[in-house]
Amino acid sequence: MNHIKRALFLFLLATLPVIAQQDITLEQIWSGAFRTQGMDELNAMKNTNQYTILNVNWSTRTAQIDLYDFATLKKVSTLIDSKDHSALKGIDSYTFSPDEKKILIATNSAYIFRHSFTADYFIYDIATKTLSKVGDSKIQEPTFSADNSKIAYGYENNLYVYNVATKKTTQITNDGKKNAIINGITDWVYEEEFAFVRAYDWNATGDKIAYIRFDETEVPEFTMDVYNKGLYPQPYTFKYPKAGEKNSKVSLHVYDVNKNATKKVNLNNFNAYYIPRIKWTNEAQMLSVQLMNRHQNNLDLVFVDANSGTATGILNEKDKAYVDVTDNLTFLADNSFIWTSEKDGYNHIYHYGKTGKLIKQVTKGAWEVTAYYGFDKKTKNIFYQSVENGSINRDVYRINIKGKKKTRLTPQTGTNDATFSPKFDYFINSFSNTTTPTQYTLHKAKDGKLVKEILDNNALAEGLKPYDLPTKEFTVITTPKGHKLNTWMIKPADFDPNKKYPVFMYQYSGPGSQQVANQWNSYNDYWFMMLAQQGYIVACVDGRGTGFKGAEFKKVTYKELGKYEVEDQIDAAKVIGQYNYVDASRIGIFGWSYGGFMSSNCILKGNDVFKMAIAVAPVTTWRFYDTVYTERYMQTPQENASGYDENSPINHVNKLKGSYLLIHGTADDNVHVQNTMLMVEALVQANKQFDWAIYPDKNHGIYGGATRLQLYTKMANFIKEKL
């Protein structure tokens, strides 16, 4: 090789890494360039050993529900394709009738709040391939009766029953009225904080419907201006109970389908301030109800005889802080039941007799059960997910109902989540970790043995190689106060330990939450990696109050939200600032919602530690937030004024020294823009300079069109300028 060729070769070799490494852009992130493939609307059938998936063709705007066999993974058939039915404007979601001969399909959905929506619903008969509409207008939360003959649904705050054969509709409540009375559908605060919308349930024989009635007449109203593009903004008014204010008065009712008659259930012997769950037991005329007091530190499980109306207390749980409702209540053949509780300090599975007598604590240990998958009545095995393999990981386990023969079914370390076949002989596992994009595999439920690979995201992994992305490094930070906090850190791919780097911290920090988890990238993660490519270290710390490390760690923040969590972020930042490769004068922090509350507090209370902060949609005083969430952790403002005021950033604006960016959407029905507006006024009156951005008609998520791209561009530019 002559010297010219050799010089050219060495030059090209030296420049290869520069040419190879591509820079991540916000346009790529928010256009979905790094989106993983998934198995959308994966549903296990109940009567056959099969499952369904909703496959969407985005180019043609059509969708089809495909049926697959669990054992072979082979596609059995396409149950319905929307392109064959002009009435279907795609398929938004679907559910089967109990006999799985009909499908209830939602299309043309219109969202109301976070979970609630109205839609046009159609019944599709699989055998005859015919489609028929339910109701004349958009309805809410329709479900089949157990005998497949009827469908109940909500419409304009009333409940209706539709007869599938005769197509006749019966209105079963008549007093529903906007911002006054709601039947069978939750009010705003129940939907947001108790996380359910359908507040009615069919019994096992299809002759009774239990429902909750909400009287929100005395609940204070909140009004948002909706700007749209009209000449005048339009007010949008809804009932929103702020901390310490009046909630809906709730009552429980049972409708007899055959008699067309309704009974109100007498719950006077219990503290029934909240009714966060109702569910029929396996005995057709016996209803289970979870009841809570206003402080949410006393929970009663009550059985109601639908015929006599008699309510009997079965189980009671109390806590010095609060008790979480459970969605894992499962009734077995003898009406004994599975229950999850953290009464021993960690969330575990319990088996109770139908009278409420404890039979067995099935799982135990200094770790948490994070999901309950079900009970196999044939083998008497329970299947669940837990953090036994470390609080940042998730694994799937099998254990018998006596608490014996526990088996870990997922060998790969990371985040595993299972969908079981109806017979509990197979499960489809979704797995990812920080270096492995989501993959779906079929396993035997007995021992977890891999049967077959279904879907991977290897193409995405391959496509990411030119970006030479850094990986999350997990560690545990010990603060000066001795608290051990899960942490991840993303360093630049060309990290040099002899250099000094600025640090951008991200957190959420809300009670029971988790951000330090061993799973594949979110949209934010790509943004953080983009910042790492630009020379920043990004770190995330889960402080006290976050979840999956036991009740004591989680509930330490009770009555003082924003005290210990803020201490931990400030202390963690000080520890990180002592690393040889960190420029301690250049540490910033970012958060959204509760995280925005936290980042605001950190720039104020930690003004000697943090140089800048970004707060998106933050609570600035808990007095502005809703009853159910706030009082669960804080009691009422009347009872705990100091807890509310001492840790609210709006009361500490005079401490601002660094650069502060405040962001909110005007149509945020959750954390009202009022929080930001009054924070702005407080900052102005304290003569503090800051930056802010308001997004018209955007809700708590601040998205739609180019909104996220513009928002993240603004935040990225702020980081570059201020950090």
Side-chain angles (χ1 to χ4, degrees):
M1 184 182 293
N2 63 43
H3 69 280
I4 297 176
K5 287 183 178 180
R6 185 173 181 275
L8 180 61
F9 173 77
L10 291 174
F11 171 76
L12 290 173
L13 191 65
T15 58
L16 268 177
V18 179
I19 296 170
Q21 181 174 340
Q22 296 181 22
D23 291 333
I24 295 175
T25 67
L26 289 170
E27 286 80 5
Q28 289 173 313
I29 295 172
W30 293 109
S31 68
F34 306 127
R35 187 186 296 126
T36 55
Q37 282 187 300
M39 298 177 73
D40 293 340
E41 294 279 336
L42 171 62
N43 286 295
M45 306 294 278
K46 293 179 173 59
N47 302 320
T48 60
N49 217 34
Q50 297 169 318
Y51 64 93
T52 57
I53 293 176
L54 181 64
N55 287 315
V56 179
N57 186 326
W58 295 105
S59 61
T60 61
R61 301 287 179 178
T62 60
Q64 59 190 50
I65 301 171
D66 292 323
L67 182 68
Y68 297 83
D69 181 79
F70 257 108
T72 66
L73 298 179
K74 289 182 179 178
K75 180 176 168 180
V76 177
S77 64
T78 293
L79 299 180
I80 184 172
D81 193 325
S82 67
K83 71 175 172 28
D84 298 331
H85 301 273
S86 59
L88 290 181
K89 308 300 181 186
I91 298 174
D92 299 336
S93 59
Y94 66 95
T95 55
F96 284 89
S97 58
D99 63 7
E100 298 181 335
K101 293 180 179 179
K102 295 180 176 67
I103 311 176
L104 194 54
I105 296 172
T107 187
N108 202 24
S109 300
Y111 273 86
I112 303 170
F113 297 119
R114 188 192 296 261
H115 306 289
S116 58
F117 62 93
T118 60
D120 292 317
Y121 279 90
F122 292 85
I123 302 169
Y124 180 69
D125 188 305
I126 297 172
T128 64
K129 301 187 185 303
T130 55
L131 202 66
S132 58
K133 196 169 190 293
V134 180
D136 298 323
S137 306
K138 289 186 176 183
I139 60 175
Q140 281 187 274
E141 299 293 320
T143 57
F144 275 97
S145 60
D147 62 0
N148 310 287
S149 67
K150 299 175 182 69
I151 292 173
Y153 63 86
Y155 174 66
E156 293 188 343
N157 292 19
N158 282 311
L159 278 178
Y160 295 77
V161 172
Y162 173 81
N163 188 299
V164 176
T166 66
K167 294 183 168 51
K168 178 186 175 183
T169 300
T170 302
Q171 185 171 345
I172 66 175
T173 67
N174 296 281
D175 58 348
K177 183 181 178 182
K178 183 176 173 61
N179 288 337
I181 304 295
I182 316 172
N183 293 289
I185 302 292
T186 55
D187 65 0
W188 184 92
V189 73
Y190 267 64
E191 173 182 338
E192 178 66 28
E193 305 303 357
F194 287 131
F196 74 114
V197 177
R198 179 169 62 84
Y200 75 86
D201 198 32
W202 285 100
N203 72 342
T205 49
D207 65 327
K208 300 284 196 314
I209 299 174
Y211 68 91
I212 306 170
R213 178 182 182 269
F214 295 80
D215 180 350
E216 54 178 3
T217 308
E218 297 181 12
V219 177
E221 292 182 342
F222 185 82
T223 299
M224 306 184 298
D225 279 333
V226 180
Y227 296 95
N228 292 321
K229 295 181 181 178
L231 195 59
Y232 294 92
Q234 297 298 310
Y236 182 81
T237 300
F238 62 104
K239 297 285 187 169
Y240 185 106
K242 300 206 174 196
E245 298 298 311
K246 289 184 177 180
N247 281 294
S248 290
K249 295 176 182 176
V250 291
S251 53
L252 181 64
H253 304 259
V254 177
Y255 172 73
D256 189 312
V257 177
N258 298 327
K259 295 178 181 178
N260 191 24
T262 302
K263 286 182 181 179
K264 180 180 177 181
V265 177
N266 185 344
L267 297 171
N268 290 340
N269 291 335
F270 304 93
N271 194 327
Y273 189 83
Y274 291 123
I275 308 178
R277 295 291 185 270
I278 58 174
K279 182 178 185 176
W280 288 95
T281 74
N282 281 340
E283 294 178 6
Q285 303 305 318
M286 192 65 73
L287 174 72
S288 77
V289 190
Q290 292 183 48
L291 306 172
M292 298 188 89
N293 62 339
R294 183 160 187 165
H295 281 168
Q296 299 171 64
N297 58 9
N298 185 93
L299 183 149
D300 285 302
L301 176 66
V302 175
F303 283 5
V304 175
D305 186 309
N307 292 320
S308 68
T310 304
T312 305
I314 298 297
L315 191 67
N316 174 263
E317 287 204 10
K318 292 184 175 71
D319 192 277
K320 61 183 179 181
Y322 53 88
V323 181
D324 290 318
V325 297
T326 179
D327 286 311
N328 300 324
L329 175 59
T330 303
F331 292 97
L332 310 187
D334 59 357
N335 232 34
S336 66
F337 57 91
I338 302 294
W339 179 265
T340 53
S341 168
E342 56 182 14
K343 66 179 184 178
D344 79 342
Y346 295 87
N347 193 51
H348 281 296
I349 297 171
Y350 295 79
H351 181 207
Y352 286 91
K354 68 177 184 178
T355 62
K357 181 181 179 181
L358 177 63
I359 298 173
K360 183 71 178 179
Q361 180 176 345
V362 181
T363 62
K364 58 181 65 176
W367 46 269
E368 306 245 315
V369 169
T370 45
Y372 166 79
Y373 295 121
F375 172 72
D376 180 3
K377 60 185 178 182
K378 183 180 178 181
T379 64
K380 310 296 183 187
N381 284 323
I382 289 172
F383 297 90
Y384 66 93
Q385 179 199 62
S386 80
V387 296
E388 190 169 355
N389 189 31
S391 58
I392 67 171
N393 300 311
R394 300 286 186 278
D395 279 294
V396 179
Y397 286 85
R398 170 180 59 78
I399 192 170
N400 70 28
I401 198 164
K402 294 182 179 181
K404 307 291 186 181
K405 299 180 179 178
K406 180 171 63 176
T407 303
R408 180 181 169 189
L409 302 175
T410 46
Q412 291 180 284
T413 299
T415 298
N416 294 273
D417 193 11
T419 300
F420 281 85
S421 64
K423 296 178 182 177
F424 287 99
D425 48 359
Y426 295 101
F427 69 93
I428 292 174
N429 188 49
S430 164
F431 167 77
S432 77
N433 59 26
T434 54
T435 58
T436 310
T438 309
Q439 53 186 220
Y440 295 85
T441 48
L442 181 69
H443 299 257
K444 288 186 176 180
K446 181 181 179 181
D447 52 15
K449 183 179 178 181
L450 175 67
V451 178
K452 194 173 183 180
E453 294 179 353
I454 306 173
L455 174 70
D456 59 43
N457 279 281
N458 292 342
L460 173 62
E462 195 65 28
L464 287 171
K465 284 184 178 179
Y467 295 91
D468 191 22
L469 297 180
T471 57
K472 286 181 180 176
E473 300 174 12
F474 290 103
T475 186
V476 174
I477 281 180
T478 302
T479 70
K481 297 181 180 71
H483 303 298
K484 297 183 182 300
L485 310 177
N486 290 345
T487 303
W488 58 248
M489 188 173 285
I490 298 173
K491 299 172 183 173
D494 60 352
F495 173 73
D496 181 350
N498 297 311
K499 288 178 61 177
K500 294 279 190 181
Y501 292 89
V503 173
F504 184 62
M505 292 177 64
Y506 160 67
Q507 46 65 58
Y508 177 75
S509 303
S513 65
Q514 184 180 54
Q515 301 303 313
V516 183
N518 190 6
Q519 60 189 15
W520 184 246
N521 303 332
S522 66
Y523 284 98
N524 269 345
D525 288 321
Y526 288 108
W527 182 47
F528 299 147
M529 290 176 183
M530 185 192 89
L531 293 174
Q533 286 185 333
Q534 296 171 6
Y536 296 90
I537 289 175
V538 184
C540 180
V541 179
D542 276 345
R544 284 172 291 171
T546 57
F548 313 113
K549 296 178 74 175
E552 184 179 350
F553 186 86
K554 180 176 71 172
K555 294 179 179 179
V556 69
T557 62
Y558 184 60
K559 294 177 72 174
E560 294 187 291
L561 291 185
K563 179 180 179 180
Y564 300 110
E565 311 97 298
V566 171
E567 280 183 14
D568 286 351
Q569 294 299 318
I570 293 172
D571 287 348
K574 288 178 179 178
V575 171
I576 291 170
Q578 292 172 358
Y579 296 164
N580 292 334
Y581 50 81
V582 168
D583 183 346
S585 68
R586 297 171 68 196
I587 299 178
I589 191 165
F590 156 69
W592 196 305
S593 193
Y594 197 104
F597 159 74
M598 287 289 299
S599 59
S600 298
N601 263 331
C602 285
I603 191 75
L604 299 171
K605 292 186 176 184
N607 58 14
D608 58 335
V609 176
F610 294 101
K611 185 181 182 183
M612 57 78 69
I614 301 174
V616 184
V619 171
T620 60
T621 167
W622 287 110
R623 292 177 179 270
F624 292 162
Y625 202 54
D626 73 61
T627 48
V628 175
Y629 183 92
T630 313
E631 293 172 12
R632 179 186 303 151
Y633 308 118
M634 296 285 282
Q635 297 188 354
T636 66
Q638 294 88 339
E639 297 168 299
N640 182 26
S642 63
Y644 276 75
D645 297 336
E646 289 175 10
N647 300 306
S648 288
I650 201 168
N651 297 321
H652 296 277
V653 291
N654 62 312
K655 298 173 183 174
L656 181 64
K657 291 181 182 178
S659 300
Y660 181 50
L661 174 59
L662 186 55
I663 296 167
H664 222 120
T666 66
D668 191 334
D669 63 275
N670 184 358
V671 180
H672 303 150
V673 72
Q674 172 191 22
N675 284 270
T676 283
M677 290 303 186
L678 293 185
M679 182 73 171
V680 165
E681 174 62 9
L683 287 162
V684 168
Q685 295 309 318
N687 193 26
K688 297 295 182 178
Q689 296 300 310
F690 61 97
D691 293 87
W692 62 309
I694 294 295
Y695 288 84
D697 295 344
K698 296 300 182 286
N699 65 14
H700 196 55
I702 312 182
Y703 61 87
T707 304
R708 279 289 176 99
L709 176 58
Q710 197 276 350
L711 167 60
Y712 275 76
T713 301
K714 176 175 288 294
M715 293 195 295
N717 290 341
F718 188 79
I719 294 165
K720 290 175 192 174
E721 181 183 345
K722 305 297 185 181
L723 193 63

